[in-house]
């Protein structure tokens, strides 16, 4: 049973308060004590095993103890021979969200004694009224800053709209065309666009680019001198130093690491725009542990007060809640405050144990497999820190391998799962009403970039990496892909999507006007297609016998509901 939102928040707060009381009673080590360096030979061996298993090119790790920090790099920042170090710069993806929430806390603090104070419960539309218009009038008037920062707006990810946008303001203005998938404040739905909304709020209130606000108000006070908010800035500063990592995507069907292009997503902004090092992030984690400036004590308290309940379902972990840019959970009884990040070719993980005053930062130049690898390494460090007996330790490689196998099996069964009533391939399949060439053309929707659909031979589909942030059932970054067997002479409808990152879409006919849409598709070996996600697509034929519209099920949370694009050419 799902509790009403007021009860959800209360329950989350009680869970956090109970763990605080229990763990605050733990014996704290005196500050004069020497703490172990967990980045030891045992950890080095584990890193090699994990990087080999998940095909990770390079990684960097920092361990923050109560009095000091240890950090080092493993593998390569750039193939073939640029070593990864603790000063290697990685795209850190969604770990950016905690900085956005912290920045908002500063503005709230500054307006507290003004005539028009801003609070966490201030409606967003009162701050950016012309831009923040939603499909639901009540939601437009009542959704607040904390709703947007805790993933409880009722909106699903809508990442297709985000990668179509040119700026945070552009992304916000597209929300008026995007449907809800839940009532507000009833359901946790992870959504990048909620943090982009807050980025636009901050830039509107300050008249300042969010990257400059971060630098002046957070990074400079913490001496985070190797942290950036755009790919051009990072490239310019690091072009001769060798510190900027290249992201990679492992093509498992041929056993090759393919470099990802550097993707600069201005629209992702407050949701995933930061590039940094583990050494710099260690300073940020230290400030979190110490509840130190530049964030105020009231800001720290607000940032870590749970707002939503998340059910992750991982072994040995307690209930997970989401505050403002942070996940809060437990592991073998210890409170963990953390956030992960992922973009094509990059993965990151930052966390700290507030009552033990330890923290860890892990970064890698791999996509979705990189997130799994960093999670395995994180749990190794936690097992060592918490002295978890070997017989009680989870086989985390096995856990993530099983999840990957389940995902691959689900993808292999995409046709029968998405179209359970469609006839199997053969005589009973109804062909499309028109020749494939008649479906080609330009399709438009006010929330998305235009879709340019063309007919190509499978042999003409590109080989390549993971593409941009996906749609349908994709998450952050890109996985290794699943091989789908096809006829090498088969023609397909194809489109590329996203103005800042190319995501290849391949439409495969199922029955009548219904198609299976493969997301982040690429050419495989021996007449195969490799794909990372699948969803449904449908074409509508007008009374004149021509294609009028194409419908794409862009969000799993919407239960198969399609977004309809109008054919204009």
């Amino acid at each position: 049973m799902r509790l009403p939102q007021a009860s959800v928040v209360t329950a989350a707060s009680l869970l956090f308060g109970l763990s605080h009381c229990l763990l605050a009673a733990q014996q704290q080590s005196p500050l004069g004590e020497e703490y172990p360096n967990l980045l030891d030979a045992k950890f080095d061996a584990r890193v090699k095993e994990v990087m080999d298993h998940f095909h990770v090119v390079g990684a960097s790790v920092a361990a923050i103890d109560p009095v000091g920090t240890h950090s080092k790099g493993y593998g390569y920042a750039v193939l073939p021979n640029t070593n990864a170090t603790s000063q290697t710069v990685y795209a850190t993806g969604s770990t950016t969200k905690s900085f956005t929430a912290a920045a908002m806390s500063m503005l709230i603090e500054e307006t507290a004694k003004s005539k028009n104070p801003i609070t966490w419960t201030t409606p967003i539309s009162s701050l950016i009224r012309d831009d923040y218009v939603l499909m639901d009038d009540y939601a437009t008037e009542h959704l607040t800053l904390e709703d947007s920062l805790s993933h409880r707006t009722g909106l699903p990810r809508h990442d297709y709209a985000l990668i179509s946008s040119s700026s945070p303001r552009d992304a916000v203005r597209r929300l008026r065309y995007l449907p809800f998938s839940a009532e507000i404040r009833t359901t946790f739905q992870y959504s990048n666009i909620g943090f982009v909304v807050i980025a636009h709020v901050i830039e509107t209130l300050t008249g300042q680019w969010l990257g400059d606000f971060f630098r002046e108000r957070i990074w400079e006070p913490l001496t985070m001198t190797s942290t950036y908010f755009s790919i051009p800035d990072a490239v310019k500063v690091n072009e001769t130093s060798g510190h900027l990592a290249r992201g990679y995507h492992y093509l498992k069907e041929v056993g090759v690491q393919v470099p990802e292009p550097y993707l600069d997503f201005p629209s992702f902004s407050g949701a995933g725009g930061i590039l940094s090092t583990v050494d710099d992030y260690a300073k940020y984690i230290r400030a979190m542990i110490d509840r130190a400036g530049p964030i105020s004590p009231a800001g720290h308290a607000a940032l870590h007060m749970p707002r939503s309940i998340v059910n992750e379902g991982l072994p040995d972990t307690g209930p997970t809640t989401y505050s403002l840019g942070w996940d809060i959970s437990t592991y073998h009884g210890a409170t963990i405050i953390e956030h992960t990040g992922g973009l094509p070719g990059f993965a990151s993980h930052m966390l700290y144990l507030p009552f033990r005053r330890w923290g860890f930062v892990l970064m890698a130049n791999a996509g979705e497999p990189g997130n799994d690898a960093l999670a395995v390494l994180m749990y190794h460090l936690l097992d060592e820190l918490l002295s978890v007996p070997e017989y009680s330790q989870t086989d985390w490689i096995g856990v993530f391998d099983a999840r990957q196998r389940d995902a691959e099996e689900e993808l292999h069964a995409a046709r029968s799962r998405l179209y359970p009533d469609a006839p199997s391939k053969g005589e009973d399949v109804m062909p499309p009403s028109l020749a494939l060439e008649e479906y080609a053309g330009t399709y438009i929707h006010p929330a998305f970039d235009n879709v340019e659909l063309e007919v190509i031979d499978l042999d003409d589909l590109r080989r390549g990496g993971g593409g941009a942030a996906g749609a349908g059932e994709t998450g952050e970054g890109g996985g290794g892909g699943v091989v789908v067997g096809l006829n090498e002479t088969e023609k397909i409808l194809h489109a590329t999507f996203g103005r800042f990152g190319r995501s290849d879409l391949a439409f495969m006919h199922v029955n009548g006007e219904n198609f299976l849409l493969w997301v982040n598709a690429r050419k495989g070996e021996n007449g195969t297609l490799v794909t990372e996600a699948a969803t449904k697509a449908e074409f509508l034929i007008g009374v004149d016998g021509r294609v009028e519209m194409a419908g794409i099920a862009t969000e799993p949370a919407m239960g198969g509901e399609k977004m309809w694009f109008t054919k204009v050419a």
Side-chain angles (χ1 to χ4, degrees):
M1 179 181 72
R2 183 174 295 280
L3 298 171
Q5 184 58 31
S7 299
V8 169
V9 173
T10 302
S13 301
L14 286 174
L15 285 169
F16 184 68
L18 178 59
S19 66
H20 186 288
C21 293
L22 291 173
L23 288 165
Q26 293 176 351
Q27 182 65 39
Q28 297 295 313
S29 300
L31 290 181
E33 180 180 332
E34 290 188 9
Y35 295 90
N37 178 7
L38 297 183
L39 308 187
D40 54 13
K42 181 179 180 181
F43 181 69
D44 292 348
R46 183 62 164 163
V47 171
K48 184 179 187 309
E49 175 192 7
V50 170
M51 289 178 65
D52 288 346
H53 183 85
F54 291 102
H55 307 288
V56 175
V57 173
S60 301
V61 182
I64 303 98
D65 66 39
V67 296
T69 297
H70 297 277
S71 59
K72 59 169 58 175
Y74 301 87
Y76 299 103
V78 182
L79 292 173
N81 55 15
T82 301
N83 292 328
T85 72
S86 63
Q87 280 293 303
T88 295
V89 174
Y90 300 86
T92 64
S94 287
T95 61
T96 302
K97 291 179 171 65
S98 74
F99 291 86
T100 301
M104 194 68 241
S105 78
M106 294 175 175
L107 295 184
I108 287 174
E109 193 95 356
E110 290 171 2
T111 65
K113 296 181 180 180
S114 69
K115 292 182 179 179
N116 298 299
I118 299 171
T119 72
W120 293 112
T121 58
T122 295
I124 296 167
S125 60
S126 70
L127 303 174
I128 48 171
R129 184 168 299 279
D130 290 343
D131 296 331
Y132 194 73
V133 178
L134 308 175
M135 291 186 75
D136 181 277
D137 291 341
Y138 182 86
T140 299
E141 293 300 320
H142 291 87
L143 280 174
T144 67
L145 298 172
E146 69 175 351
D147 291 330
S148 200
L149 290 168
S150 58
H151 303 298
R152 63 185 197 191
T153 63
L155 288 164
R157 294 182 71 108
H158 286 311
D159 279 346
Y160 259 160
L162 198 52
I163 64 174
S164 297
S165 306
S166 60
S167 67
R169 181 173 184 263
D170 183 23
V172 172
R173 292 185 65 84
R174 291 172 189 259
L175 288 174
R176 63 196 67 198
Y177 307 111
L178 296 171
F180 286 73
S181 55
E183 296 294 326
I184 68 172
R185 303 191 190 111
T186 63
T187 307
F188 176 86
Q189 294 185 107
Y190 192 90
S191 175
N192 289 308
I193 208 162
F195 280 76
V196 174
V197 168
I198 303 304
H200 180 42
V201 168
I202 294 170
E203 292 182 340
T204 300
L205 293 176
T206 64
Q208 188 176 29
W209 180 49
L210 184 60
D212 287 336
F213 188 97
F214 283 163
R215 177 174 49 79
E216 294 174 10
R217 302 293 299 275
I218 301 177
W219 301 339
E220 287 181 353
L222 293 175
T223 64
M224 295 173 64
T225 57
S226 297
T227 301
Y228 311 95
F229 203 55
S230 74
I231 289 289
D233 283 351
V235 170
K236 182 178 179 180
V237 173
N238 289 282
E239 60 187 359
T240 59
S241 68
H243 285 323
L244 181 61
R246 167 68 73 175
Y248 291 93
H249 185 95
Y250 182 69
L251 300 185
K252 66 180 181 180
E253 67 271 19
V254 291
V256 173
Q257 294 283 359
V258 176
E260 292 276 13
Y262 290 122
L263 300 178
D264 199 27
F265 289 105
S267 59
F268 266 69
S269 183
I274 291 177
L275 300 95
S276 190
T277 70
V278 297
D279 281 348
D280 266 15
Y281 261 48
K283 299 172 184 177
Y284 182 61
I285 293 297
R286 175 73 67 194
M288 294 294 121
I289 292 172
D290 293 342
R291 294 208 163 196
I295 302 167
S296 71
H300 278 288
L303 292 175
H304 299 111
M305 176 60 67
R307 264 72 170 191
S308 304
I309 291 180
V310 187
N311 294 313
E312 290 292 314
L314 289 173
D316 302 319
T317 61
T320 299
T321 61
Y322 198 90
S323 55
L324 303 176
W326 292 95
D327 285 298
I328 303 172
S329 63
T330 64
Y331 182 69
H332 285 285
T335 296
I336 309 293
I337 300 179
E338 63 183 324
H339 211 291
T340 60
L343 286 170
F346 291 99
S348 59
H349 203 142
M350 63 177 184
L351 69 149
Y352 68 100
L353 295 78
F355 307 117
R356 291 177 178 266
R357 299 180 56 78
W358 274 78
F360 302 102
V361 180
L362 307 94
M363 300 179 183
N365 53 353
E368 196 63 34
N371 284 111
D372 291 346
L374 295 186
V376 172
L377 296 176
M378 176 196 74
Y379 286 119
H380 170 94
L381 291 167
L382 290 174
D383 286 342
E384 292 295 304
L385 175 63
L386 301 175
S387 301
V388 177
E390 189 171 343
Y391 63 81
S392 294
Q393 295 178 13
T394 297
D395 173 15
W396 288 106
I397 289 180
V399 168
F400 291 112
D401 280 354
R403 291 176 72 172
Q404 180 63 25
R405 284 194 300 272
D406 289 346
E408 290 182 2
E409 289 173 4
E410 189 174 76
L411 196 50
H412 276 298
R415 188 181 190 277
S416 60
R417 177 172 53 83
L418 295 174
Y419 292 102
D421 299 324
S424 300
K425 293 182 179 181
E427 295 180 359
D428 293 332
V429 172
M430 182 182 300
S433 300
L434 306 170
L436 278 185
E437 288 73 13
E438 297 299 316
Y439 295 84
T442 301
Y443 294 78
I444 64 171
H445 186 288
F448 307 104
D449 268 350
N450 295 351
V451 174
E452 303 287 346
L453 206 54
E454 61 180 343
V455 178
I456 66 171
D457 292 325
L458 175 62
D459 196 51
D460 293 331
L461 188 65
R462 72 167 183 150
R463 298 184 188 272
E473 298 183 11
T474 62
E476 288 187 318
V482 172
V483 176
V484 181
L486 297 169
N487 184 331
E488 189 170 4
T489 62
E490 188 170 351
K491 290 185 178 295
I492 61 173
L493 286 168
H494 168 264
T496 57
F497 194 85
R499 65 178 65 192
F500 298 109
R502 182 175 173 182
S503 181
D504 286 273
L505 309 178
F507 295 71
M508 302 296 183
H509 180 253
V510 174
N511 192 49
E513 305 309 319
N514 295 293
F515 286 70
L516 191 60
L517 175 55
W518 300 113
V519 181
N520 288 344
R522 63 179 185 267
K523 178 184 176 182
E525 295 294 303
N526 302 318
T528 61
L529 177 143
V530 184
T531 186
E532 295 175 16
T535 190
K536 299 167 71 173
E538 180 183 0
F539 293 90
L540 179 65
I541 309 299
V543 294
D544 60 356
R546 298 180 180 181
V547 179
E548 285 189 351
M549 306 181 82
I552 299 175
T554 61
E555 292 293 339
M558 288 165 54
E561 180 182 346
K562 299 180 182 71
M563 303 297 291
W564 288 94
F565 293 70
T566 301
K567 191 173 187 292
V568 295

